[in-house]
Amino acid sequence: MKTALDLVAAAKARIQEIPVDAAEAAIAQADVLIDVREPDEYRQGHLPGAINLPRGVLEFQMSSQSAMEPRGLRVVLYCKTSGRAALAACALQDMGYLDVRSVAGGFDAWKAAGKAVAVPVAPVFG
């Protein structure tokens, strides 16, 4: 029986991971940067310019948004440490997307490298 770690290892063998030091350049060339973490994780901080499409609904969201239809779309994904993003990248490849990459080490590696983090500001009602 396979474990989650086995599935992640198999996914990482199939996808292209981008080292954090090369991620900014890849993101600048991407059509879309997707954070596949849960909404509460995203709200605590995310990569600037990222949209939040949680892993659990990614395939449905990609299929239902016309802007996400082109299979040549340049996609960069990330999660907390890169496991969910690797699985998500495999799913997108299986859907026919041709240019999908994942940030190695995910948000944690990005933050540890001192890269910019966007934190949404909640409105204050007075």
Side-chain angles (χ1 to χ4, degrees), residues 1 7 37 50 72 84 94 96 105 107 113 119:
M1 183 162 122
L7 294 174
R37 299 176 301 156
R84 287 175 283 179
D94 290 345
F107 182 75
V119 180

Side-chain angles (χ1 to χ4, degrees), residues 89-100:
C90 280
L92 292 182
Q93 287 176 343
D94 290 345
M95 290 176 73
Y97 289 92
L98 304 172
D99 190 349
V100 181

Side-chain angles (χ1 to χ4, degrees), residues 73 102 123:
L73 204 64
S102 172

